[in-house]
Amino acid sequence: MALTLQQAKQQGLIGEANTGYVASVQSEPTAQVKQLVDDTNQKRKLGYQQISQQNNMSIEEVTALGRAKAKQKTLPGYYFQTKTGEWIKK
């Protein structure tokens, strides 16, 4: 059974990274978690590029907005990464 992003976040395997993307909270994630992180980040990157082009913004500006929005939407009990790289449970 495939693991969804929501399930991985709920289990504390994946969190919102300080880059505007997701990352594994564990130092040695499973292959399934790595694949989920890669797939999710690829989709986010494409979305960020579209927003960047449509709004005449730099990718850095868009990812910064994405990072702030993702942190705000992080549910209680889920992980996000601080500016210094520390994982915090909200």
Side-chain angles (χ1 to χ4, degrees):
M1 195 156 103
L3 186 67
T4 67
L5 179 61
Q6 192 67 22
Q7 290 169 333
K9 284 182 172 185
Q10 189 174 31
Q11 294 175 27
L13 302 172
I14 292 176
E16 290 294 335
N18 60 12
T19 59
Y21 295 94
V22 295
S24 172
V25 175
Q26 303 171 325
S27 58
E28 295 185 24
T30 65
Q32 186 179 21
V33 169
K34 285 180 188 177
Q35 186 64 50
L36 184 55
V37 167
D38 290 345
D39 291 347
T40 302
N41 287 339
Q42 184 178 10
K43 290 174 187 173
R44 282 194 185 184
K45 184 176 182 179
L46 289 173
Y48 289 163
Q49 288 171 338
Q50 285 180 332
I51 293 168
S52 171
Q53 291 170 354
Q54 291 171 350
N55 295 286
N56 198 24
M57 297 170 69
S58 71
I59 287 290
E60 292 78 16
E61 290 172 310
V62 176
T63 55
L65 291 172
R67 176 178 57 246
K69 185 175 181 180
K71 182 180 175 184
Q72 180 184 12
K73 290 179 126 183
T74 297
L75 298 174
Y78 289 23
Y79 285 93
F80 69 92
Q81 194 176 38
T82 66
K83 290 180 183 180
T84 61
E86 180 183 1
W87 287 105
I88 303 284
K89 190 181 265 193
K90 190 171 186 183

